[in-house]
Amino acid sequence: MSLALYCRECALNFESLPEKEKHNEEVHYGFAQPYPEISEKEFELMSSWNTHKLVHHCPVCFRHFRVINHLIEHLATSHPIRCLNNPLAQTSKEVVENYWKLLDHVLPGERANSMRLWKADTVSKKCPYCPTYNPALRLTYNHIRCYHHRRGNNIPLPAYEKYLRWKDHVENLYPGQLKKVSNSMKFNASNILFLQMDEEFIYGHGILDQPQEEDFDAIFLESFPF
């Protein structure tokens, strides 16, 4: 078995290159597969890997992930399941389902926990005011300061309460991280958008009552296609 004759999107091995090329044209519309993250030699040894090693590798590109929820995020965003309305999504449903079965067998309960962590991490990177999503918490915080917390902006109280819930969520998920991000910002002439502090918003809106606890997923996950 070689990488050149193996369709990683479908987990199929072919006897010749023309057979694989025909499969690629008929099933994948000629789209090239993502470059594999392992060498030919490592690929040949995969059959001897133990299940704990296998479960930490992406089933499509074979990239290694130390943390399972990072692998789940990668699988969902980089290798979406094949569907008619998205020609760029080429991964077979069976490939993903087989990985879930392996994960559930090797690490029972890890799938649900990792999905929850991934969703929570995704929420921390989504702006609480608008649909903007950033790949890093720092960028999301910068976005909030740039586009929503500019001096003179009039933020409705219900929207600001969403920001406070987002802030509490991030603090619970990553204690102290927001403070580090804030402290790392440079206050200079080209970055005047970060001069407005949270206290000014609180005083500007009057005394804010502590927002009531609501269902976290219902508030924040509605914008994500899980």
Side-chain angles (χ1 to χ4, degrees), residues 122-139:
T122 300
V123 167
S124 72
K125 297 171 185 175
K126 178 188 176 297
C127 175
Y129 295 113
C130 69
T132 301
Y133 176 82
N134 291 288
L137 174 61
R138 175 181 57 82
L139 297 177

Side-chain angles (χ1 to χ4, degrees), residues 15 24 59 71-72 81 83 86 104 117 131 168-169 194 197 203 208 222:
E15 294 184 359
N24 192 54
L71 193 158
I72 290 176
I81 293 176
C83 60
N86 183 6
D104 292 340
L117 287 174
D168 287 343
H169 164 69
F194 304 114
M197 304 304 290
Y203 297 144
L208 294 180
E222 56 191 4

